[in-house]
Amino acid sequence: MTIRQREIGDVVVLDIDGKIMGGVDSELFQETIQSLIDSGKRKVVVNLENVKWINSTGLGVLIAGYSALQKSGGRLKLLQVSERVEGLLNITKLSTIFESYQGEDEAVESFV
Amino acid sequence: MTIRQREIGDVVVLDIDGKIMGGVDSELFQETIQSLIDSGKRKVVVNLENVKWINSTGLGVLIAGYSALQKSGGRLKLLQVSERVEGLLNITKLSTIFESYQGEDEAVESFV
Amino acid sequence: MSDHPGTIEIRLPSQLRFLGVVDALVQSFSAEFGLGADEINNVSTATIEAASNAVEHANKFSENKQVLLRLRGRGNVVEVEIEDEGEGFDPRPYERELGTEDLLKLRGRGIFIMRSFMDNVSFSRLSSGGMRVHLRKVGKTTAGESDTQDAVRGN
Amino acid sequence: MSDHPGTIEIRLPSQLRFLGVVDALVQSFSAEFGLGADEINNVSTATIEAASNAVEHANKFSENKQVLLRLRGRGNVVEVEIEDEGEGFDPRPYERELGTEDLLKLRGRGIFIMRSFMDNVSFSRLSSGGMRVHLRKVGKTTAGESDTQDAVRGN
Ligand SMILES: Nc1ncnc2c1ncn2[C@@H]1O[C@H](COP(=O)(O)OP(=O)(O)O)[C@@H](O)[C@H]1O
Ligand SMILES: Nc1ncnc2c1ncn2[C@@H]1O[C@H](COP(=O)(O)OP(=O)(O)O)[C@@H](O)[C@H]1O
C-alpha cells in the first residue's frame, strides 16, 4: 500500500494504491491520519480507486482512521469503492458507517 | 479458446477469445480455416483483441492456418495484437510473415 | 471449462506480502471452473481471510512455517483448503453473526466473512496440531453460457 | 516490494487447462519483486513454455503425474524452477537460434523462447529421471520508483 496526499480546499484526499491489509499498512495509515489531525485537518476523503482488495484487518485500518477523526470532530469518507470492496462493506454492515461517493467533486462538496 | 465468425464483404473476421495453445484449440482453428477454404473464403482476419496470451504451440496453430490459406491463394492477417503477443511474434521473427493491423477497417481494406 | 477435475497445491511462506499471489491464484483457478465474477471475488476474499489467519495467528510470521493451500475444482464446484502449522483453536465462539456492538471493532471479522462469502466453511485439526480450514463454493452463475451459443470452443 | 526473500511451491496436474493459473501466479509473484510489465510478461511466457513441455513431452498428460513449480524471489531477481516426472531429454540440440528455414515450422520454438525471454536458462536431470528447467530474470525496470517519490509506502 502507498498513500499519496492531496488537498482540495480544506479537504484532504488520500489516494491509496495497492492492497490494504494491516501490519505495516496499519501503522502507516494511522500515522497519516494522526498527523492530519495534529495539523488541524478534519475532512478526509480516502480514495480507493486503485485498491484491488482489502482484507478484514484492512477494514480495521479504515475503522481506526474513521474513529480517530470522529473523536476529534472530523470525518472520514470513502471515494470510488470497487464492487469487490463494496461487497465486503455490505456484508460487515460497515456501509452503514462509511459514507461513500463515486465522484471526487461530490465527495469533497459533501463536507460543506 | 472460442472462435466467433463474422463477414465484412468477402473478408471473414475470426474473433478469438481466451488463450491459444495447441491441443483442442489447434483442431478447432484448423477445422475453421479448412471450412472457410472449402466454402471459397480466402481473406481471413484473425482478431486477437481478446487473446491474453499465446504459447509456442499456439503460434503453430496460427502458422498452420496461415500456410493452409496461402496454399489455396488466400491470406491470413492479424488484428489487435497485444504487446505481449507482439513480443512473441518479434522474437520468433513471425512478425515478418504475419501482416498485422490495429484497426479493423484497415485490416479489411488491406485485402483490396 | 471442461468437466475434468483438478487439484493444485501451493506452499507459501508465512508472509502477508504473498496474499496478492493467493488472490491471483484463486481468481484464475475459480474462473477456470466457470464461477462468475462476484463468486470469484468471494472465494478469493474468503481464502485471503483464512490465509491471513494462518500466517498471523497460527504461524505467527515464522520463517520456518508454511501455509498450504489446496485448490480443488470439479464441474462448477470450487473447494479451497488452508492448512497451517499453528497450535489450532476452537472456532465455535466465532460461529456467530456480528452485532451492532461489533461495528467499530478493529478485528474479529475474518471467520464471519468466510462464512458469509462461501456456501460451506468447516474447521478441523490436523494431526500435526495445526488447523485446516475448508471452504466450498458452488458456482451459480452459468458463466458465458449465452456467450458461447454461436461460438465454437477449444481448450 | 521489500527485500525479504520468498519461495512458493505449486504442484499442478498434467493438464494444459491450468496454464492460465500458472500465468496468473507467475505474473503476481514477479510483480511482488518489482519486475516491470514487459519483464513480467516474459517470465510468465517462459514459464508457460517450460510448463507446457512438462505437461506434454514429459508427463504426457498423465493423471498420475504432476508438474512442480518453484518460484523464488529476492530483491529484484525472480527464479522459476519447473520439474516434471518424465524421462528427461538432452536439451543441447535446442540451444540454437531459429533460422529462416524454421520460420513456418509448427513446433520447436519453446526452448528458444525461454532463452530469449530470460537472463538465464538451464536444464538438469532430477535423480527421479525427470527434468528441472531453471529460469532466472533480473529486474531492470526500477518499477514505480519515480512513482513513490512523494508517496509513503506500507506492505
Ligand atoms: N488458523 C488459526 N490458528 C489459530 N487461531 C486462529 C486461526 N484462525 C483464527 N484464529 C483465532 O480466531 C480469532 C478470530 O479470527 P477472525 O474471525 O479471522 O478475526 P481476527 O483474525 O481479526 O481476529 C483470531 O483472533 C484467532 O484468535
Ligand atoms: N520437459 C521435457 N521432457 C522431455 N522432453 C522435452 C522436455 N522439454 C522439451 N523436450 C523436448 O525438446 C523438444 C523441443 O522443445 P521446444 O523447443 O519447447 O519445442 P516443442 O515443444 O514445440 O517441440 C521437444 O519436442 C521435446 O522433444
Side-chain angles (χ1 to χ4, degrees), chain C residues 53 57-58 84 88-89 94 107-111:
Chain C
N53 283 348
H57 301 304
D84 62 51
F89 77 111
Y94 308 103
R107 301 292 307 253
R109 292 179 182 82
I111 293 172

Side-chain angles (χ1 to χ4, degrees), chain B residues 56, chain D residues 53-54 57-58 84 88-89 94 107-112 114 131:
Chain B
S56 66
Chain D
N53 283 350
H57 300 305
D84 63 52
F89 77 110
Y94 307 103
R107 301 293 306 255
R109 292 179 183 82
I111 294 173
F112 171 77
M114 292 178 221
M131 285 309 270

Side-chain angles (χ1 to χ4, degrees), chain B residues 17-64:
Chain B
D17 197 82
K19 338 173 237 294
I20 311 181
M21 55 178 190
V24 192
D25 294 346
S26 171
E27 288 157 41
L28 185 65
F29 193 78
Q30 249 161 295
E31 282 164 19
T32 305
I33 296 290
Q34 195 51 53
S35 80
L36 290 178
I37 293 172
D38 292 347
S39 58
K41 316 273 181 206
R42 300 275 187 277
K43 303 173 179 174
V44 179
V45 172
V46 178
N47 179 7
L48 299 180
E49 182 179 4
N50 294 313
V51 169
K52 229 177 140 188
W53 53 265
I54 301 184
N55 67 0
S56 66
T57 340
L59 289 176
V61 171
L62 293 179
I63 296 167

Side-chain angles (χ1 to χ4, degrees), chain B residues 56-76:
Chain B
S56 66
T57 340
L59 289 176
V61 171
L62 293 179
I63 296 167
Y66 174 91
S67 296
L69 275 162
Q70 197 86 340
K71 239 180 271 170
S72 16
R75 295 297 289 278
L76 181 153

Side-chain angles (χ1 to χ4, degrees), chain A residues 1-4 22 24-25 28, chain D residues 32 147 150-155:
Chain A
M1 177 183 88
T2 60
I3 306 178
R4 204 181 286 263
V24 193
D25 294 346
L28 185 65
Chain D
E32 187 56 44
D147 226 57
D150 57 346
V152 283
R153 182 183 286 282
N155 277 313

